[in-house]
Amino acid sequence: HTEDELSRSSHSNPGKSLVNGIKTNPASNSPKSSVPVPMGPPVYVDLAYIPNHCSGKNTDPEFFKRVRASYYVVSGNDAANGEPSRAVLDALLEGKSQWGENLQVTLIPTHDTEVTREWYQQTHEKQQELNIMVLASSSTVVMQDESFPACKIEF
């Protein structure tokens, strides 16, 4: 089937929909049972916002293997909800270690949290090996000839 045929078939059968080009039944399409994302080449971007305030609910090493950014923004500031998640910060190290290229990565935390401080101190040597720089939350970012505190980077 071509994409056009699949698209038409989903319109003619409202009980079905497409997820990643594959017909699925929306009733059984919960996040845990969804069709896995097919493998593909990595995506290179300048700036990526780590999803869900750096919560471990949606971000794993696969995210960092596939979404390769020069800058990652970590905005979590809710320890009660696990934001930012230490597991996600560790996933960055794991994912970046598999890039096969030593591109510079800058991590921009928008808040000074105990989790990010501990992670930074405990993994500093690994960060250096992987060419990862972590800005202090009081750092200044310059974009398009404008300078502002890193904590202002929010979406």
Side-chain angles (χ1 to χ4, degrees):
H1 293 306
T2 67
E3 279 187 49
D4 193 41
E5 289 170 328
L6 287 172
S7 178
R8 278 195 305 264
S9 70
S10 69
H11 293 297
S12 64
N13 187 351
K16 302 278 186 185
S17 65
L18 291 177
V19 174
N20 296 323
I22 300 168
K23 288 197 314 184
T24 63
N25 184 343
S28 66
N29 206 16
S30 70
K32 296 290 185 202
S33 67
S34 66
V35 176
V37 176
M39 291 304 297
V43 176
Y44 292 86
V45 297
D46 290 328
L47 178 72
Y49 180 86
I50 298 178
N52 206 20
H53 302 287
C54 198
S55 166
K57 297 174 188 167
N58 301 57
T59 308
D60 60 8
E62 189 64 29
F63 173 81
F64 295 105
K65 289 178 200 171
R66 307 253 331 251
V67 179
R68 300 181 181 186
S70 297
Y71 299 89
Y72 290 101
V73 177
V74 177
S75 72
N77 191 26
D78 186 356
N81 284 321
E83 299 168 5
S85 166
R86 169 68 188 250
V88 172
L89 296 171
D90 289 339
L92 167 62
L93 297 176
E94 183 181 335
K96 172 90 167 58
S97 70
Q98 297 181 32
W99 285 12
E101 51 196 335
N102 197 19
L103 299 175
Q104 169 73 46
V105 167
T106 303
L107 192 66
I108 306 171
T110 60
H111 298 90
D112 184 19
T113 67
E114 189 67 29
V115 170
T116 53
R117 274 181 286 173
E118 284 180 6
W119 176 82
Y120 175 80
Q121 292 170 352
Q122 294 169 359
T123 64
H124 187 70
E125 191 172 301
K126 184 72 171 173
Q127 294 166 40
Q128 288 180 319
E129 285 174 29
L130 295 172
N131 203 15
I132 296 173
M133 181 176 68
V134 180
L135 295 181
S137 61
S138 60
S139 294
T140 301
V141 174
V142 178
M143 287 186 177
Q144 298 178 351
D145 299 326
E146 184 180 350
S147 179
F148 48 88
C151 64
K152 295 288 184 182
I153 298 178
E154 291 286 339
F155 297 90

